[in-house]
Amino acid sequence: MTALHLRGVVLPEEEERDLWIVNGRIRTEPVPGARTVVDGGYLLPGLVDAHCHVGIAEDLAEAATQAVTDRDAGALLIRDCGSPIDTSPLQERLDLPRLIRAGRHIARPKRYIRGMAEELDDPSLLPDVVAEQAANGDGWVKLVGDYIDREVGDLAPLWPDDILAEAIRVAHAAGARVTAHVFGSDALLPLIEAGIDCIEHGTGLTDDTVAAMVDHGTALVPTLINIETFPGIAAGASKYPRYAGHMLDLYGRVRRTVGTAIEAGIPVYAGTDAGGGIAHGRIVDEIVALHETGMTREQAIAAASWNARSWLGWSGIQDSSAADIVAYATDPRENLDTLRTPTHLILRGRLLPR
């Protein structure tokens, strides 16, 4: 493979540098004969969609198409937060984003979207199933922390506290991190105190649970563009007026809720929830939403680039790092819409066609 040469302002360091790419790795020393493919502009570590569902699909071909859509928007690393089909074969495709899989959601019967989750009639089986999903995934396990309980008529937690704590201990012993879908408030504190690593959505956060997340170092992926679907969910839930009202309340205060989490210093990362009622390829919309919620432009980009990559175990633009780079003609920190028009995508050291 011919070596590549890039020159541009590297973020977040904000310095103009020359980079060379050989065998999928970044080099900072000159490589004779390298072909210059970028000469000017700005270079970012590949974007990250930290909550995506590549695999809510009929088959692998459809899942691959979803991944291409995300890739073309600049997302070169995806944390798949639960999919009903095994997408591990997609990891062999050099043209698709790097994929970190969480396996399948784990839920109770009739307490999540039909056909999506491993459903446990007996909640005491949770630690065993968590161990299975930890073995099947790539270092993450996805729980459903709360969902509508039709007998209650509102959001309610799924798991007894002691079983939850044991399940998270089992995951950690297996070297996996755990995250959970949580809309409301009641499920949050037991999850945080049990040592969960991340909360997805988090619309029910309160001052107390924000403080608990800070104390425990728990991350948040708020999926702000997904929360825009809450009014539609409420409109379709007239049979459960308490639940419908609750969803509208969560929607109405989400920007304030997430803004409080950001201000408190909770690690917050960008995730679209693509596939879960959200179209693929919308990572820039989520970055813009994070900025509108309280992050500076640079913080919002970091939440979908160098900070998110570090959180998921991938480095940025440095010597010997994997060559996953997105290039832009102008500084995206000045105008986030610049992120919508990358000039070049380099994935695994390969220049992708545009």
Side-chain angles (χ1 to χ4, degrees):
M1 183 187 300
T2 302
L4 303 179
H5 169 239
L6 298 77
R7 180 184 297 113
V9 178
V10 174
L11 297 181
E13 293 80 7
E14 199 174 358
E15 58 184 35
E16 187 169 58
R17 291 163 56 189
D18 287 276
L19 304 172
W20 290 265
I21 297 174
V22 181
N23 296 326
R25 294 283 167 180
I26 296 170
R27 299 285 181 251
T28 55
E29 295 296 327
V31 176
R35 177 169 64 99
T36 298
V37 294
V38 178
D39 191 359
Y42 288 76
L43 306 176
L44 268 67
L47 299 184
V48 178
D49 190 335
H51 184 132
C52 191
H53 300 282
V54 171
I56 300 181
E58 292 294 326
D59 52 32
L60 281 175
E62 183 181 354
T65 298
Q66 296 169 347
V68 167
T69 301
D70 293 317
R71 180 203 70 190
D72 289 350
L76 305 185
L77 175 63
I78 288 172
R79 183 179 65 138
D80 187 297
C81 275
S83 292
I85 67 173
D86 178 9
T87 55
S88 58
L90 300 183
Q91 295 173 315
E92 300 173 9
R93 294 251 319 246
L94 299 180
D95 62 324
L96 297 183
R98 300 183 191 273
L99 188 62
I100 299 172
R101 300 173 304 111
R104 296 192 69 173
H105 299 74
I106 306 174
R108 301 291 310 283
K110 299 182 180 180
R111 297 295 305 280
Y112 198 56
I113 302 165
R114 183 179 300 174
M116 281 285 292
E118 292 284 346
E119 296 184 353
L120 309 187
D121 290 313
D122 181 355
S124 70
L125 296 175
L126 181 63
D128 291 339
V129 177
V130 162
E132 292 171 2
Q133 291 300 319
N136 290 337
D138 301 317
W140 282 92
V141 174
K142 174 73 176 290
L143 306 179
V144 178
D146 71 1
Y147 204 68
I148 184 173
D149 183 331
R150 289 166 178 80
E151 294 183 2
V152 174
D154 200 357
L155 295 167
L158 272 70
W159 313 102
D161 294 356
D162 57 337
I163 293 171
L164 195 60
E166 175 62 12
I168 293 173
R169 187 198 67 77
V170 166
H172 288 168
R177 290 186 275 183
V178 185
T179 193
H181 161 110
V182 188
F183 284 162
S185 299
D186 292 347
L188 283 165
L189 195 58
L191 286 162
I192 297 164
E193 292 184 339
I196 199 161
D197 301 279
C198 184
I199 297 294
E200 311 297 320
H201 316 302
T203 44
L205 284 168
T206 63
D207 289 346
D208 288 344
T209 47
V210 165
M213 288 182 72
V214 172
D215 289 343
H216 286 79
T218 315
L220 173 66
V221 180
T223 66
L224 290 167
I225 62 173
N226 169 274
I227 308 309
E228 294 298 319
T229 67
F230 278 22
I233 293 172
S238 58
K239 188 176 178 181
Y240 303 100
R242 183 176 161 198
Y243 167 70
H246 194 174
M247 295 297 284
L248 288 174
D249 176 64
L250 295 171
Y251 169 75
R253 56 189 170 92
V254 64
R255 297 298 173 102
R256 183 171 69 253
T257 299
V258 177
T260 298
I262 292 168
E263 186 175 349
I266 290 173
V268 175
Y269 303 104
T272 63
D273 207 0
I278 299 297
H280 286 268
R282 293 191 59 193
I283 187 58
V284 179
D285 291 335
E286 185 67 18
I287 294 170
V288 170
L290 286 171
H291 171 55
E292 292 173 347
T293 304
M295 286 186 170
T296 66
R297 292 185 187 90
E298 183 161 351
Q299 288 172 334
I301 295 169
S305 181
W306 52 89
N307 283 351
R309 291 181 68 88
S310 177
W311 179 56
L312 294 173
W314 290 86
S315 54
I317 298 177
Q318 59 194 53
D319 193 65
S320 299
S321 291
D324 299 338
I325 298 172
V326 188
Y328 300 94
T330 57
D331 188 347
R333 298 170 302 172
E334 297 297 322
N335 184 347
L336 292 177
D337 280 337
T338 297
L339 296 169
R340 302 187 190 279
T341 54
T343 59
H344 300 80
L345 298 175
I346 296 173
L347 175 60
R348 297 182 176 88
R350 297 165 177 260
L351 180 65
L352 297 175
R354 298 296 294 161

